[in-house]
Amino acid sequence: NMALQGHSWGGYQIAYMITKTNMFKCVESGAPVVNMFSAYGGIRWGSGMSRMFQYERTQSRIGGTIWDYPLRYLENSPIFFIDKINTPVLIMHNDEDTAVPWEQGIEFFGALRRLGKPAWMLTYNGEPHWPVKLQNRRDFNIRMQQFFDYYLRDAAIPSWMDKGVSP
């Protein structure tokens, strides 16, 4: 029984990895970019900087624009390979994330659910890239532990995974 947990760049790597392997029993992918095409043209809301640089030359290291290398952007975007995912996924992506567009988490969750994949998404309203309010950090850690316990230790399914959570 192996699981993975990662956030931001680590969240992206997990989303990508589970399109290529079924070796993990479950994963948590926090604030992942899953569609490099839709994220490419955006800005980092905190700084106002274009997001293009990070795909072309820094973190994603694609090597050029979406017009120069569209296939590289496609091959590195997990959204286009969601049908290959068989691993249960817990996503955490907050609505005031200024580093990774919240819509990326929504695209990931929506695609997984559309294809009938086991997926859950946690959003802490009013929180940035990572929860800063103590009650939200605690809540996330409890839910992540429950998610992993369910898949790795045969614990009972928590009610939020079975019935959802009221806003």
Side-chain angles (χ1 to χ4, degrees):
N1 284 347
M2 292 191 306
L4 285 176
Q5 187 273 331
H7 194 80
S8 196
W9 183 246
Y12 159 74
Q13 291 175 313
I14 287 169
Y16 179 85
M17 193 178 319
I18 61 174
T19 69
K20 307 296 183 206
T21 183
N22 292 319
M23 73 184 301
F24 300 100
K25 189 90 177 226
C26 62
V27 298
E28 189 278 332
S29 176
V33 168
V34 294
N35 185 339
M36 291 192 180
F37 285 101
S38 63
Y40 179 85
I43 64 170
R44 288 179 163 260
W45 289 107
S47 67
M49 288 180 61
S50 166
R51 297 178 53 77
M52 294 176 188
F53 76 93
Q54 74 186 70
Y55 299 101
E56 294 173 6
R57 298 189 192 355
T58 62
Q59 203 168 44
S60 299
R61 297 178 292 282
I62 298 293
T65 71
I66 59 173
W67 303 279
D68 294 331
Y69 300 111
L71 191 55
R72 289 182 189 175
Y73 282 83
L74 182 132
E75 290 169 341
N76 286 281
S77 295
I79 196 77
F80 298 108
F81 306 98
I82 298 291
D83 60 323
K84 307 290 188 244
I85 294 175
N86 295 308
T87 306
V89 182
L90 175 63
I91 303 161
M92 192 272 287
H93 209 145
N94 299 325
D95 67 346
E96 290 190 14
D97 191 330
T98 61
V100 178
W102 180 46
E103 293 80 8
Q104 292 289 309
I106 294 168
E107 281 189 54
F108 192 26
F109 178 69
L112 287 163
R113 293 303 291 253
R114 174 65 180 88
L115 293 175
K117 309 292 183 172
W120 293 263
M121 182 170 176
L122 301 173
T123 297
Y124 295 95
N125 293 325
E127 290 278 38
H129 194 54
W130 181 257
V132 293
K133 295 175 188 157
L134 184 58
Q135 72 270 20
N136 292 337
R137 282 193 239 161
R138 284 184 181 149
D139 184 78
F140 172 65
N141 280 297
I142 289 167
R143 291 179 196 275
M144 184 171 57
Q145 183 69 54
Q146 291 171 335
F147 174 78
F148 286 148
D149 285 351
Y150 174 68
Y151 281 105
L152 300 174
R153 295 183 173 179
D154 296 321
I157 190 166
S159 65
W160 65 269
M161 285 176 65
D162 188 35
K163 296 178 176 64
V165 178
S166 299

